[in-house]
Amino acid sequence: MSKKIRKKSSKSDISGTVRAATASHTKQVREAGPSTSLAESGKAKPRPAPAASPAVELAEGFPAPSFNLPREDGALVSLADFAGRKLVIFFYPRAGTPGCTREAMDFTRLATDFAASGTAVIGVSADPLKAQQSFRNKHKLSTPLISDEKREVLEAYGAWGEKSMYGKIFMGVLRTTVLVNEAGRIARIWRKVKVEGHADEVLAAAREL
């Protein structure tokens, strides 16, 4: 009779020990929280996303990004067309608006002087060909007007970005001018261009190259 009692008592002790160990483990897992290991929680920790690489901003001395886009008459214009020559590219927000009209007319006014300095001039915006053609005809502009509707060249030259007007934030063309030297490298960059006197300043820089 005493042997049976001892066996029963032994089983009871073992069962109690298992329950105590299980309860202790469960408490440790709960207290560990999000830092619990895979073996403890059954779930792997999420890995942090890799940091995004910052975009490289175009700077003086960089090779000019290539392009091949249509001008207002439908003909394709590429950077290679100006190999061995200096090139001015002025990026303007919208054909026909007051600031853009004044800027384009100023570059047209100085067209002979730019040619004498061995410098070609082109304008680029995101306007469609029809708008570019109308713009050129209306104001008798002599500079080719390039249509970059997909904004690929605008972005490559850093002329597309965030703008604000009347408290509203939006994406658009940033008035920018780039001077490319005969070797096809960026010689000067004008950002946040103020139209007044700008074309004359660019001509002076082109003459100094």
Side-chain angles (χ1 to χ4, degrees):
M1 181 70 178
S2 59
K3 290 183 179 180
K4 290 183 179 180
I5 292 174
R6 281 199 298 272
K7 287 182 180 180
K8 184 177 181 180
S9 175
S10 178
K11 289 180 180 180
S12 177
D13 291 342
I14 293 171
S15 177
T17 302
V18 171
R19 285 198 300 271
T22 301
S24 176
H25 177 72
T26 302
K27 182 179 179 181
Q28 290 174 3
V29 170
R30 288 176 178 173
E31 290 177 349
S35 62
T36 303
S37 68
L38 177 61
E40 292 172 328
S41 66
K43 294 182 180 180
K45 295 181 184 179
R47 294 182 180 178
S53 300
V56 177
E57 184 177 346
L58 193 68
E60 294 174 6
F62 282 33
S66 61
F67 57 85
N68 189 39
L69 294 170
R71 55 178 290 180
E72 81 291 338
D73 62 3
L76 290 176
V77 178
S78 69
L79 181 66
D81 296 336
F82 306 98
R85 300 174 63 192
K86 291 174 283 187
L87 172 66
V88 168
I89 310 173
F90 67 97
F91 298 93
Y92 57 97
R94 188 175 179 183
T97 54
C100 296
T101 299
R102 173 65 185 275
E103 184 178 22
M105 290 181 70
D106 281 350
F107 276 111
T108 291
R109 172 176 57 82
L110 298 172
T112 301
D113 297 298
F114 275 107
S117 70
T119 308
V121 180
I122 62 174
V124 179
S125 75
D127 294 295
L129 289 178
K130 187 175 181 180
Q132 300 286 44
Q133 188 176 53
S134 176
F135 185 36
R136 188 182 191 198
N137 292 342
K138 182 178 180 179
H139 299 287
K140 298 180 174 57
L141 304 174
S142 64
T143 56
L145 302 178
I146 310 302
S147 177
D148 183 20
E149 291 188 83
K150 293 184 178 180
R151 306 186 300 272
E152 294 175 354
V153 175
L154 287 163
E155 292 178 359
Y157 280 84
W160 178 265
E162 190 176 275
K163 304 175 69 173
S164 63
M165 182 179 289
Y166 305 120
K168 294 183 178 180
I169 305 298
F170 60 96
M171 299 297 289
V173 179
L174 306 173
R175 197 182 300 278
T176 305
T177 298
V178 175
L179 174 59
V180 181
N181 64 21
E182 294 96 327
R185 291 185 173 274
I186 305 297
R188 287 284 302 275
I189 300 177
W190 291 264
R191 301 197 185 279
K192 298 181 179 180
V193 168
K194 302 298 182 184
V195 173
E196 184 69 31
H198 176 61
D200 294 273
E201 181 183 352
V202 175
L203 175 61
R207 284 172 168 168
E208 291 176 0
L209 285 183

